[in-house]
Amino acid sequence: MEVILYIAAIIAAIGFLILCVSVGMTLFSLKSILNSLAGTLSGIEGQMEGITRETTSLLSKTNSLAEDIQHKSEQLNSVVQAVKGIGDSVNGLNNSVQQITTSVSKSVEQNEEKIAQVVQWSNVAMGIADKWKKRKIIEQETVSPDAYAFETVQVEETPKRKWGRKK
């Protein structure tokens, strides 16, 4: 039985040797894969640094644009408020003109009869004034100091009024 023990120990040693050789070969092949993976990761790391720099630059530009837009928005708000103020002023002016127009029309409606009477009396007064002027002209023509004089009496035309009654 001792021989079986030795044979079992030799078989175990050969199995262990095969195991060690196969593990060594696996680790050797894994070494090249890990080296390749390390190279790839270092390339990715370099690319990530470039992306990080570009992202930082882009973020800085975005922040400056956001500040510029904010500043311009505030300026635009002041312009919009100014335009709104002008609109409010125009509305106020329209309301004032409407109130004045309303009060004038009410005043005219209330004094319509008085205005008509004033127009009638002014027409009567102008008619009397015209008749008086015509009578005066006729009296000047009929009363002449020398009937046989060679001088002629010139009658001045009555000036035309810019306002007056209709003829």
Side-chain angles (χ1 to χ4, degrees), residues 139-153:
E139 286 177 3
Q140 285 179 354
E141 286 178 358
T142 56
V143 178
S144 136
D146 190 7
Y148 298 107
F150 292 107
E151 293 182 19
T152 58
V153 177

Side-chain angles (χ1 to χ4, degrees), residues 56-70:
T56 304
S57 170
L58 185 61
L59 185 61
S60 173
K61 289 178 183 178
T62 303
N63 287 339
S64 67
L65 281 174
E67 289 175 9
D68 187 41
I69 289 172
Q70 180 68 28

Side-chain angles (χ1 to χ4, degrees), residues 32-98:
S32 65
I33 292 173
L34 287 176
N35 285 337
S36 172
L37 185 62
T40 304
L41 286 177
S42 67
I44 290 175
E45 184 180 343
Q47 289 178 356
M48 287 301 290
E49 287 177 9
I51 290 172
T52 302
R53 274 184 272 141
E54 289 293 323
T55 304
T56 304
S57 170
L58 185 61
L59 185 61
S60 173
K61 289 178 183 178
T62 303
N63 287 339
S64 67
L65 281 174
E67 289 175 9
D68 187 41
I69 289 172
Q70 180 68 28
H71 179 68
K72 288 180 180 177
S73 174
E74 290 171 1
Q75 289 178 343
L76 185 62
N77 285 342
S78 65
V79 170
V80 167
Q81 289 174 354
V83 169
K84 183 180 180 247
I86 290 172
D88 292 343
S89 298
V90 168
N91 284 339
L93 180 64
N94 284 343
N95 289 338
S96 299
V97 168
Q98 189 175 18

